[in-house]
Amino acid sequence: MAKKSSSPNLSRRDFTKIVMSFLGSIMGAMVGVPIIGYVISPALKATEIDDWVSLGALDSYPIGSPKLFSFTRTKVNGWEQTTNSYGVFVVRKSESALNVYSNVCTHLSCRVNWNEEVAAYTCPCHDAQFGLNGEVLYGPPPRPMDEYEYTIEDGNILIHLTEA
Amino acid sequence: MFEKIFQWLDERLGLEAIYGAVLDRKVPKVNWWFTLGSASLFLFVMQGITGIFLTMYYVPSPDKAYDSIQYIMNGVAFGWLIRGIHHWGASLMVLIVFLHMLRTFFYGAYKYPREITWLTGSLLLLLTLGMGFTGYLLPWNQRAYWATTVGTEIAGTVPGIGDFILRALRGGSDLSAVTLARFFSAHIWLLPLGIVLLISVHMYLIIRLGISNVPGEDE
Ligand code: HEM
Ligand code: FES
């Protein structure tokens, strides 16, 4: 190894370098891939929800003003059952027409309340206001309130709850 | 480019000097038994890394410890691998550290001026065993529970202060959630901290004193 080989062929040192970096990359991948997979795998798990949830009899909801219905759903996260609570506002426009809105603020997910005095859904976090039909009246939310698809079966309201 | 950056850093940090002292030392003509210390060090680092990743999912509570380990084994990608390495590495480390001690004993490497290397080494062996003892309880299954019952009971047979030692280990008279929490704490904080400090002294002495010769026929 005293002086560099002058032959046109690969020198012993360069050959060693190439082999070492090749083996090194393989070993790096063998260590790196499992560790990255291990850390991010819960993020890649699909915990889908695709349910029809009953909100009770259509007749129990007044015409004109929103009424809150709350329910919970549990799912398995890791080694534990996680219970999430949901709130939806049912707004009956007439005998047969209605809308169901999620109470999750479209800004940063605080829960909104119906405030009779200002006739708006108000968000406690950043003062947003939404109108009776979910439209943004005031504040930072980027879009109107989210709505649920619904059907009426045997006089009961069912909403379609989906989550990816 | 890299040459320049390296030079700039080396001038300020003395990297060449560190490299020379740590890795480019003069070593007598030795044999494979002399690699056992480096093997112990490698295993300790590996246990440390896999252990850190295990704490990402493990929960040291009696109602969740077992479930969280089931989750690591079946629910997390490569969880079986990380846990497997930590599990088998633990036994291997005890074995290798012990063989390393036998090597230094039979070669008389503990003699002047290496008595303190030997002393810190003995403590390292004890702490390594302590790691095994505290780690064994963490899965909180039947075997773990009864092994710790027996182990702490044995410590309790020390004359006079035995009962106190048993209570101190268990954190009370029963094997309980308190025991699991303190074993976990010892396993991931106290004992590794002690091992790191002792390895630092151990390695400093090896660098300072150099490695001993293989003793000759007449020694
Ligand atoms: C975590 C445990 C330990 C680690 C990481 C460790 C690490 C090392 C390393 C890297 C060396 C360099 C020489 C060689 O590899 O043989 C060494 C030398 C030495 N070790 Fe350890 N060791 C550990 C435990 C022990 C134990 C349990 C003893 C004995 C009670 C011990 C006594 C010694 C002695 C006397 C030397 C000097 C050998 C010589 O100069 O020839 N070590 N240790
Ligand atoms: S979260 Fe509702 S206004 Fe910001």
Side-chain angles (χ1 to χ4, degrees):
Chain A
M1 270 298 125
K3 75 177 177 38
K4 248 191 161 170
S5 140
S6 54
S7 89
N9 298 325
L10 208 54
S11 72
R12 181 191 289 231
R13 169 160 297 196
D14 283 343
F15 174 76
T16 313
K17 266 190 195 160
I18 290 169
V19 171
M20 290 307 275
S21 42
F22 180 68
L23 292 179
S25 316
I26 292 180
M27 285 163 67
M30 277 169 61
V31 173
V33 168
I35 287 184
I36 292 171
Y38 179 84
V39 172
I40 67 174
S41 92
L44 305 178
K45 285 261 152 59
T47 47
E48 271 175 46
I49 296 184
D50 189 347
D51 263 349
W52 284 89
V53 180
S54 170
L55 304 187
L58 178 62
D59 292 342
S60 63
Y61 291 91
I63 295 180
S65 72
K67 189 176 163 193
L68 180 69
F69 182 87
S70 306
F71 59 94
T72 59
R73 274 285 172 281
T74 49
K75 54 184 176 185
V76 177
N77 273 312
W79 52 88
E80 197 149 54
Q81 302 268 345
T82 310
T83 304
N84 291 316
S85 42
Y86 295 82
V88 296
F89 285 104
V90 179
V91 189
R92 276 181 86 183
K93 305 280 160 60
S94 66
E95 202 53 53
S96 58
L98 62 93
N99 293 81
V100 183
Y101 298 103
S102 159
N103 73 343
V104 176
C105 181
T106 54
H107 180 220
L108 296 170
S109 300
C110 292
R111 304 297 189 256
V112 301
N113 303 302
W114 174 253
N115 185 332
E116 200 60 67
E117 277 166 42
V118 291
Y121 302 94
T122 58
C123 182
C125 293
H126 314 98
D127 279 342
Q129 293 190 1
F130 299 90
L132 183 64
N133 297 314
E135 72 281 11
V136 180
L137 296 179
Y138 175 77
R143 60 170 199 276
M145 289 163 76
D146 293 326
E147 249 185 275
Y148 284 102
E149 182 195 343
Y150 70 88
T151 60
I152 296 178
E153 259 175 41
D154 303 335
N156 283 325
I157 310 174
L158 296 175
I159 59 166
H160 194 190
L161 184 69
T162 55
E163 244 172 61
Chain B
M1 176 62 186
F2 284 118
E3 191 73 5
K4 266 194 165 162
I5 295 176
F6 179 79
Q7 226 115 61
W8 189 91
L9 285 172
D10 186 38
E11 203 175 327
R12 279 142 250 260
L13 299 174
L15 299 175
E16 292 274 14
I18 295 177
Y19 179 86
V22 175
L23 292 173
D24 229 359
R25 288 174 281 129
K26 283 207 165 47
V27 173
K29 185 158 173 41
V30 294
N31 56 39
W32 280 95
W33 297 112
F34 287 71
T35 59
L36 289 169
S38 304
S40 310
L41 183 61
F42 174 81
L43 285 169
F44 176 66
V45 171
M46 197 172 70
Q47 292 301 96
I49 293 171
T50 50
I52 286 171
F53 282 105
L54 286 176
T55 62
M56 189 169 279
Y57 299 112
Y58 174 77
V59 183
S61 106
D63 39 341
K64 289 296 172 211
Y66 185 79
D67 294 342
S68 68
I69 289 185
Q70 289 307 111
Y71 179 65
I72 291 173
M73 294 302 281
N74 305 317
V76 185
F78 299 107
W80 58 272
L81 181 64
I82 306 268
R83 179 169 180 233
I85 293 175
H86 198 77
H87 179 94
W88 293 104
S91 302
L92 190 62
M93 182 171 165
V94 172
L95 181 72
I96 295 291
V97 170
F98 193 74
L99 291 177
H100 170 62
M101 181 183 76
L102 290 184
R103 189 295 270 175
T104 55
F105 177 73
F106 283 116
Y107 282 180
Y110 52 83
K111 290 178 194 168
Y112 173 84
R114 298 195 173 80
E115 297 94 329
I116 300 183
T117 317
W118 173 267
L119 195 80
T120 50
S122 313
L123 294 174
L124 280 168
L125 178 63
L126 286 180
L127 291 186
T128 304
L129 294 174
M131 290 297 284
F133 183 55
T134 51
Y136 207 83
L137 177 67
L138 303 184
W140 202 252
N141 51 23
Q142 286 295 322
R143 195 197 307 202
Y145 184 90
W146 293 109
T148 306
T149 302
V150 171
T152 48
E153 205 71 47
I154 291 172
T157 59
V158 174
I161 53 167
D163 190 54
F164 170 74
I165 294 177
L166 180 138
R167 286 162 166 276
L169 286 174
R170 290 186 181 173
S173 55
D174 307 312
L175 201 65
S176 66
V178 181
T179 322
L180 181 58
R182 62 174 48 219
F183 270 47
F184 181 65
S185 166
H187 190 78
I188 71 160
W189 297 120
L190 302 178
L191 295 172
L193 182 69
I195 291 179
V196 165
L197 292 177
L198 285 167
I199 286 181
S200 310
V201 178
H202 205 75
M203 300 308 295
Y204 163 74
L205 290 172
I206 287 146
I207 290 164
R208 182 180 144 75
L209 303 171
I211 295 294
S212 61
N213 275 308
V214 177
E217 298 278 312
D218 48 339
E219 282 178 86

